[in-house]
Amino acid sequence: QDEEAVVDLLTKTESLRPLTFEDDIEKFLDIARPYYALENEHAIVDDLTGQMVGFVCSARVEMPVGRESGGIPFAEAGRHMAAAGSVAALLRNPQKKRF
């Protein structure tokens, strides 16, 4: 269902390339499970150039919302966004090595 929603947003020249934490991400980032809690990771690839133009994923909510409104606590949303931003930067970087 989530993947179908993302596919609707792709242009005619873009496609999704599935990623896994173990094969594509873990060896390059200094983050480990359970702190890395992203799921269904996909690179958005421009089929004409082969270049990664975006990153999409989902994340599971692990903390109680408490007194905050919304479906995810602010601190947890920040943690997931930081991880997603790090993965996007990794995928965009032409040098695939641990920094």
Side-chain angles (χ1 to χ4, degrees), residues 26-76:
E26 183 177 31
K27 60 187 167 194
F28 301 112
L29 293 183
D30 221 2
I31 185 172
R33 295 196 189 274
Y35 303 104
Y36 182 90
L38 303 179
E39 301 173 333
N40 304 314
E41 302 99 320
H42 288 82
I44 301 172
V45 178
D46 183 322
D47 295 329
L48 298 177
T49 65
Q51 227 179 5
M52 197 279 297
V53 296
F55 172 70
V56 64
C57 64
S58 58
R60 62 184 175 274
V61 178
E62 299 173 327
M63 297 170 53
V65 176
R67 294 180 183 214
E68 295 183 44
S69 62
I72 184 170
F74 183 77
E76 187 171 10

